[in-house]
Amino acid sequence: MQKIFSGVQPSGNIHIGNYLAVIKQWVALQEKSDCIFCIVDWHAITVPYEVKALQQKIKEVASIYLASGINPEKSVIFVQSQVKEHSELAWLLNTITPFGDLQRMTQFKDKSKKLQGNVNAGLFNYPVLMAGDILLYQTDLVPVGEDQKQHVELARTIAKKFNSKFGETFKVPEVSVLKIGAKIMSLTEPLKKMSKSDPEPSRIGLFDTPEQIRKKIGSATTDSDKEIKFNPKEKPGISNLLTIYSLFADKPIKDIEKEFQGKGYASFKSALADLLIKKLEPFRNKKAEFDKNPEFIEKILTDGANRARKIAQETMQKVRTVMNL
Ligand code: TRP
């Protein structure tokens, strides 16, 4: 069976854009592949983070995985730091990764700029840790958003280099760039992408309450026209809301335009709010469930780490042997 590995960082506020672009699309892969979905806490701490909130964030990502339909009986869900082999392999891969390759990573350049040079070595080596994540599990396919493509390509390069230096050890993984056909834009500034770090009214969080959803959709930026038509250039706000509606309702935009022909923005927004409230209910429920009963998620993560560790240990045994460690 094809082996799939991917991960999400327990950082920031995971919103509907993140969900639609990545996690929602993983769910279908479970049927015909062996999937491992990681919560990559060691990546999340490469930028300043709220120390006290980290465990809460980890549990939130686990709830999101479960609420999205990832089945822990079938797929492995685990926390990166619970399988120490990730750090061991990352260190070893560091010794064959050219400094220049890491300097070229666009995400590193972007993040360094944002941090105004206040950058730690972990942020620089982040792609090597990620290569380790992937290679530990002899992964065939890595489904990620466009922004992570360069990192997976580096993982391929590192795998090939390791294999030619020390002998066939790693599967060389393929990248699958997930496409949703449209970016989800900010609700308040619809020409900008919805972002984990922008002010609250600009995004719908997966755990938002019905009241928050209604309020944010109600005050989403539109235009002074009345027509519910998809036209991202002239009507970016309404077009973005149509995209969101279409992806959550699994209906083509054309049908939604027809449905709301002649009805005003207010009635469209109110229908969209209803839809989101309904579709995000599983997320609120899963979170409430783990707030009440944290052992439930802890057990899934411990079990996942045990399953992951077994595979990781086998790979590390090979790596130590070929490197003569
Ligand atoms: N860097 C990825 C992101 O921010 C998360 C990640 C870490 C990952 N390790 C991975 C994704 C391995 C795929 C495979 O989205």
Side-chain angles (χ1 to χ4, degrees):
M1 267 240 264
Q2 160 168 267
K3 296 201 183 73
I4 288 186
F5 184 99
S6 201
V8 164
Q9 297 190 44
S11 63
N13 302 288
I14 298 186
H15 53 67
I16 54 170
N18 306 128
Y19 165 69
L20 293 170
V22 182
I23 305 164
K24 182 174 183 231
Q25 302 190 62
W26 287 350
V27 177
L29 298 170
Q30 292 184 112
E31 300 313 317
K32 19 179 197 25
S33 316
D34 279 333
C35 296
I36 304 184
F37 298 117
C38 190
I39 301 169
V40 290
D41 51 349
W42 279 340
H43 281 102
I45 61 171
T46 56
V47 293
Y49 69 102
E50 214 187 312
V51 178
K52 279 214 189 93
L54 186 60
Q55 289 310 314
Q56 172 74 18
K57 292 276 170 205
I58 289 172
K59 303 287 164 17
E60 284 181 9
V61 176
S63 314
I64 291 171
Y65 283 179
L66 296 174
S68 303
I70 291 171
N71 174 359
E73 313 255 310
K74 237 177 151 284
S75 303
V76 175
I77 300 178
F78 80 106
V79 181
Q80 185 183 37
S81 64
Q82 291 185 6
V83 179
K84 307 288 185 239
E85 284 73 12
H86 288 253
S87 59
E88 183 180 1
L89 184 57
W91 178 256
L92 301 178
L93 298 179
N94 265 318
T95 65
I96 63 157
T97 306
F99 192 83
D101 284 7
L102 295 177
Q103 266 177 321
R104 272 193 292 279
M105 294 290 118
T106 6
Q107 188 172 79
F108 173 69
K109 289 193 270 189
D110 291 348
K111 286 192 180 175
S112 316
K113 212 184 281 163
K114 274 208 194 110
L115 294 167
Q116 302 185 332
N118 194 2
V119 168
N120 61 63
L123 186 67
F124 187 70
N125 289 311
Y126 171 123
V128 185
L129 178 60
M130 180 162 160
D133 297 343
I134 297 166
L135 301 184
L136 263 181
Y137 301 95
Q138 306 293 355
T139 303
D140 295 296
L141 192 71
V142 187
V144 286
E146 177 70 38
D147 64 321
Q148 297 299 314
K149 185 174 171 213
Q150 194 184 31
H151 290 156
V152 183
E153 276 162 2
L154 181 69
R156 285 173 59 82
T157 309
I158 294 175
K160 286 186 205 154
K161 185 157 176 191
F162 189 100
N163 288 346
S164 73
K165 220 174 153 85
F166 299 105
E168 279 307 307
T169 308
F170 296 122
K171 182 84 69 55
V172 180
E174 300 289 332
V175 59
S176 146
V177 176
L178 301 167
K179 294 223 165 61
I180 51 170
K183 265 188 213 152
I184 304 301
M185 312 304 275
S186 154
L187 297 180
T188 45
E189 297 169 85
L191 294 172
K192 270 177 62 180
K193 222 174 117 171
M194 189 176 281
S195 156
K196 278 184 177 179
S197 50
D198 279 348
E200 178 83 21
S202 70
R203 58 183 146 77
I204 305 272
L206 293 174
F207 302 119
D208 278 1
T209 62
E211 297 72 37
Q212 285 172 308
I213 295 172
R214 212 170 279 294
K215 194 155 169 238
K216 289 179 191 177
I217 294 294
S219 56
T221 304
T222 51
D223 50 59
S224 54
D225 191 47
K226 279 204 226 34
E227 241 193 322
I228 296 154
K229 263 239 150 320
F230 187 77
N231 181 347
K233 277 226 176 68
E234 279 162 38
K235 300 164 72 70
I238 280 294
S239 301
N240 187 38
L241 298 183
L242 275 166
T243 302
I244 296 172
Y245 198 113
S246 156
L247 291 167
F248 275 101
D250 280 315
K251 262 194 211 169
I253 289 182
K254 280 263 161 290
D255 294 5
I256 304 163
E257 285 175 343
K258 227 179 259 153
E259 208 177 312
F260 288 94
Q261 206 169 25
K263 301 190 181 150
Y265 287 174
S267 83
F268 171 59
K269 280 179 159 183
S270 150
L272 175 58
D274 291 341
L275 175 69
L276 285 172
I277 289 167
K278 186 165 137 243
K279 293 287 180 169
L280 298 183
E281 192 184 357
F283 294 92
R284 295 189 298 274
N285 288 348
K286 269 282 173 276
K287 184 158 176 291
E289 202 174 301
F290 104 69
D291 282 340
K292 251 197 285 155
N293 180 9
E295 299 81 36
F296 168 72
I297 277 188
E298 266 156 35
K299 188 178 170 307
I300 288 173
L301 294 177
T302 306
D303 177 55
N306 290 337
R307 285 160 70 194
R309 197 177 298 113
K310 246 186 101 210
I311 309 170
Q313 284 177 343
E314 268 172 44
T315 303
M316 279 320 299
Q317 202 49 53
K318 278 194 209 158
V319 170
R320 290 186 210 109
T321 305
V322 297
M323 290 184 82
N324 198 17
L325 285 162

